[in-house]
Amino acid sequence: MSVAVAVAFPNIALIKYWGDRDADLHLPVNGSISMNLAGLTARSQASLEPHLAQDELILNGERVEGDGLVRVIAFLDRVRALAGVEERFRVVSANNFPTAAGIASSAAAFAALSLAATTACGLRLGEAELSRLARLGSGSACRSVPGGFVEWHMGVDHASSYATSFAPPEHWDLRDHIALVSEAGKAVSSRQGHLLASSSPLQEGRLLGVTERLGRCRSAILAKDFAALAEVVEQDSLLMHAVMMTSSPPLFYWAPATLRVLSAVRQWRSEGAPVCATIDAGPNVHVLAPGEWAEWVVEQLQGVPGVKQVLSAAPGGPAHLEM
Amino acid sequence: MSVAVAVAFPNIALIKYWGDRDADLHLPVNGSISMNLAGLTARSQASLEPHLAQDELILNGERVEGDGLVRVIAFLDRVRALAGVEERFRVVSANNFPTAAGIASSAAAFAALSLAATTACGLRLGEAELSRLARLGSGSACRSVPGGFVEWHMGVDHASSYATSFAPPEHWDLRDHIALVSEAGKAVSSRQGHLLASSSPLQEGRLLGVTERLGRCRSAILAKDFAALAEVVEQDSLLMHAVMMTSSPPLFYWAPATLRVLSAVRQWRSEGAPVCATIDAGPNVHVLAPGEWAEWVVEQLQGVPGVKQVLSAAPGGPAHLEM
């Protein structure tokens, strides 16, 4: 086979990854936990093209050049080394959700590309090996390889740093309702942001408690204890943004409407609704709630000024080949 | 004399006070630096009233009861103990700026009351002793006693914790333009907030660097180096809000328009304007700039959506008796 198509879902981090101990290998300074987002898909077709002098990337119908292409070529070089092939790839990728707005588009894209490109070369990698490979493209892509509720074990080197599933998608019908407050791209990419994490005087304090938060989060998901999940998820998200805002230079990802949604979610929870909020490196707010509250949450979010659209996702499965 | 009238200015902290090592004596966990705000005045008239069975407080024309009165009675008990008097006070106070909206109204009020009440008892306290006394009413009130640019030395006990001036008001025509985005009172008072500071996993990281930031701030003011001041002031303010947002329970003082002003200030600075922002325990944004930029800054701030009013202040003098 010299062509393959794979699909992967983005993931929302419930315990955040922020900071690299090895920026080249994307070895993180802490473990993280996430949920894949069903329905939001990154689809990637990879084909080996013997006549091409250089890899080609078409993303959402447009040819990518510059930094975006360089990054993908570096990744495909690793795939070629692994597979022992010399040919160039043509990669045709598309997302069905806005790119670079705090939804992990690069995570889903590199998870899908890892599977498509290795399959096109005739490789059949196990899940852990595929997760490691995806990590080399984009750190959090390793979490979009396994299905459902996933933990990225930070590890100490390439071999030990990968993600595994600790509960399948059907374990808990938790929903992520993404309140899109801006579709603008980020001023500073997460890749660059990870390099700044250690410049914040607060990063050390964030890291000191992360093992405990990972345990609380895993335990809350396994027990389907929404109140316990809400507490640790909101705290961990704010710890990451506190580090971002106090790095040198400071990184601000929040828009005015971000605060409006955060405040509304706290208000609804104080009134008894099981909702909590988490924010990635972007202005959009991910509002988590049990499935039976989905309609109510979406309706409430649509009423918050500044919310342009709400995308909803249930727990998603692993990266997989499209037949 | 059994009646005296004193005036004091609120102060804006440039290096923030957040957290008490002794909540009763308001001994802080770190030193702080502030500038008094001329023109925003708290005026307090204190008179000894032999016929009164209980202290009376009239604030902005209204009789205060409940917690607000209890707090003032406790403070006046300390004044009576110091002066060796038994009589009750009638206190008539008024501010010419909104109360409890992130402008340090209690700081100015207790600085003025310290001077008025002790003078009414016939005492003539030195500046350091007056600063210590004011601290017992409201921690940051100790900084509204001396004039101009002030440092509160954290100290280890009542005697060693007070504020002194390190540059007079005329040293530098720095202006504070307060963008009022909400006149609503605070959900959580600073007094209660100080008790929560240690519950944040980030407080320790904030404190580790505070001695260095105090030095940088003092040095920038003495050298009138606005760029150096801007950097340390913005960083210190964000460190405090990072601690607030990650305490248990989390404290959010920002409104959507707070973020809008913060973002505008960063934009103006990137375009070459000498401006920086700092936020106390409230939603309003204090925008600092050299005096020659005052008109420009006010005009810009008035154009930011959500800014209801801009109050401007030059460096203010010490708490003083009204003749």
Side-chain angles (χ1 to χ4, degrees):
Chain A
M1 186 187 296
S2 65
V3 56
V5 180
V7 169
F9 303 118
N11 64 76
I12 175 63
L14 305 175
I15 300 295
K16 306 295 189 187
Y17 153 47
W18 195 246
D20 281 329
R21 60 204 301 264
D22 183 322
D24 196 38
L25 294 178
H26 299 155
L27 298 178
V29 291
N30 65 280
S32 51
I33 286 178
S34 62
M35 173 180 120
N36 283 350
L37 302 178
L40 308 181
T41 60
R43 187 178 174 279
S44 186
Q45 173 182 299
S47 51
L48 284 171
E49 305 280 352
H51 65 283
L52 280 184
Q54 194 187 258
D55 296 314
E56 278 184 12
L57 171 62
I58 313 289
L59 176 61
N60 294 327
E62 297 196 6
R63 181 180 291 271
V64 177
E65 307 280 357
D67 289 351
L69 180 60
V70 167
R71 182 177 178 189
V72 165
I73 291 174
F75 178 76
L76 293 171
D77 284 343
R78 303 209 190 239
V79 175
R80 276 185 284 267
L82 199 65
V85 305
E86 297 280 332
E87 295 94 330
R88 306 291 116 179
F89 286 93
R90 172 173 292 127
V91 175
V92 182
S93 292
N95 303 324
N96 71 350
F97 55 93
T99 301
I103 301 173
S105 57
S106 63
F110 277 103
L113 180 57
S114 298
L115 181 54
T118 53
T119 304
C121 295
L123 294 178
R124 292 288 174 276
L125 302 185
E127 189 179 88
E129 197 168 355
L130 203 58
S131 175
R132 276 184 207 103
L133 175 64
R135 194 197 74 234
L136 298 173
S138 172
S140 56
C142 71
R143 295 191 311 237
S144 281
V145 169
F149 299 89
V150 168
E151 180 162 359
W152 176 6
H153 314 281
M154 65 174 274
V156 295
D157 55 14
H158 178 61
S160 54
S161 188
Y162 59 92
T164 57
S165 172
F166 63 91
E170 57 276 16
H171 165 70
W172 190 14
D173 184 18
L174 188 66
R175 302 286 174 86
D176 180 15
H177 305 283
I178 312 169
L180 298 182
V181 301
S182 167
E183 300 191 15
K186 304 173 194 177
V188 175
S189 72
S190 326
R191 266 162 80 86
Q192 294 171 288
H194 284 297
L195 301 175
L196 297 176
S198 63
S199 73
S200 165
L202 306 182
Q203 171 76 335
E204 203 177 329
R206 186 184 78 88
L207 293 176
L208 274 175
V210 74
T211 304
E212 189 246 342
R213 291 195 300 280
L214 286 164
R216 282 162 60 200
C217 182
R218 214 185 301 115
S219 170
I221 290 170
L222 291 171
K224 303 176 202 174
D225 179 344
F226 189 85
L229 182 72
E231 193 180 343
V232 72
V233 161
E234 289 208 347
Q235 188 189 34
D236 190 81
S237 170
L238 292 168
L239 286 167
M240 179 177 75
H241 285 272
V243 167
M244 289 167 161
M245 286 189 276
T246 55
S247 65
S248 301
L251 299 178
F252 283 86
Y253 289 107
W254 297 357
T258 308
L259 268 189
R260 226 177 273 126
V261 177
L262 278 185
S263 163
V265 167
R266 284 195 301 274
Q267 179 64 30
W268 301 333
R269 192 164 65 244
S270 77
E271 292 164 4
V275 288
C276 72
T278 183
I279 309 174
D280 272 355
N284 301 319
V285 184
H286 293 250
V287 179
L288 304 174
E292 58 271 29
W293 284 78
E295 211 176 318
W296 185 88
V297 172
V298 171
E299 200 174 304
Q300 300 300 309
L301 284 173
Q302 283 168 340
V304 177
V307 172
K308 292 175 178 164
Q309 197 188 340
V310 181
L311 302 176
S312 295
H320 56 280
L321 290 170
E322 201 173 75
M323 297 307 153
Chain B
M1 187 187 296
S2 66
V3 56
V5 179
V7 169
F9 304 118
N11 64 76
I12 176 63
L14 305 175
I15 300 295
K16 306 294 190 188
Y17 153 47
W18 194 247
D20 281 328
R21 60 204 300 266
D22 182 322
D24 197 38
L25 294 177
H26 299 154
L27 298 178
V29 291
N30 64 280
S32 51
I33 285 178
S34 62
M35 173 180 119
N36 283 351
L37 303 178
L40 307 181
T41 60
R43 187 179 173 280
S44 186
Q45 172 183 299
S47 50
L48 284 171
E49 306 279 353
H51 65 283
L52 280 184
Q54 193 187 259
D55 296 314
E56 278 184 10
L57 171 61
I58 313 289
L59 176 60
N60 294 327
E62 298 196 4
R63 181 180 291 269
V64 177
E65 306 280 357
D67 289 350
L69 180 60
V70 168
R71 182 177 177 189
V72 165
I73 291 175
F75 177 76
L76 293 172
D77 283 343
R78 302 207 190 242
V79 174
R80 277 185 283 268
L82 200 63
V85 305
E86 298 280 331
E87 295 93 329
R88 305 292 117 179
F89 287 92
R90 172 173 291 128
V91 175
V92 181
S93 292
N95 303 324
N96 71 350
F97 56 91
T99 301
I103 301 173
S105 57
S106 64
F110 277 103
L113 179 57
S114 298
L115 181 54
T118 54
T119 304
C121 295
L123 294 177
R124 292 287 173 276
L125 302 185
E127 189 179 87
E129 197 168 354
L130 203 59
S131 175
R132 275 183 207 104
L133 175 63
R135 194 197 74 234
L136 298 174
S138 171
S140 56
C142 72
R143 295 191 311 239
S144 281
V145 169
F149 299 89
V150 169
E151 181 162 359
W152 176 5
H153 314 283
M154 65 175 274
V156 295
D157 54 15
H158 178 62
S160 55
S161 189
Y162 59 93
T164 57
S165 172
F166 63 91
E170 57 276 16
H171 165 69
W172 191 13
D173 184 18
L174 189 66
R175 302 285 175 86
D176 179 16
H177 305 283
I178 312 169
L180 298 182
V181 302
S182 167
E183 299 190 17
K186 304 173 192 177
V188 175
S189 73
S190 325
R191 266 163 80 87
Q192 293 171 288
H194 284 296
L195 301 174
L196 296 176
S198 63
S199 73
S200 165
L202 306 182
Q203 171 76 336
E204 202 177 331
R206 185 185 79 88
L207 293 176
L208 273 175
V210 74
T211 304
E212 189 246 343
R213 291 194 300 280
L214 285 164
R216 281 162 60 200
C217 182
R218 216 186 300 117
S219 171
I221 290 169
L222 291 172
K224 304 176 203 174
D225 179 344
F226 189 84
L229 182 72
E231 194 180 339
V232 71
V233 161
E234 289 208 347
Q235 189 190 31
D236 190 81
S237 170
L238 292 168
L239 286 167
M240 179 178 75
H241 286 272
V243 167
M244 290 166 162
M245 287 190 275
T246 56
S247 64
S248 300
L251 299 178
F252 282 87
Y253 288 106
W254 298 357
T258 308
L259 268 189
R260 226 176 273 125
V261 177
L262 278 186
S263 163
V265 167
R266 284 195 300 276
Q267 179 64 30
W268 301 333
R269 191 164 67 242
S270 77
E271 293 163 6
V275 288
C276 72
T278 184
I279 308 174
D280 272 355
N284 301 319
V285 184
H286 294 250
V287 179
L288 303 173
E292 59 271 29
W293 284 78
E295 210 175 318
W296 185 88
V297 171
V298 171
E299 200 174 304
Q300 299 301 307
L301 284 173
Q302 283 168 340
V304 176
V307 172
K308 292 176 178 162
Q309 196 187 339
V310 180
L311 302 176
S312 295
H320 56 280
L321 290 170
E322 202 173 75
M323 296 305 150

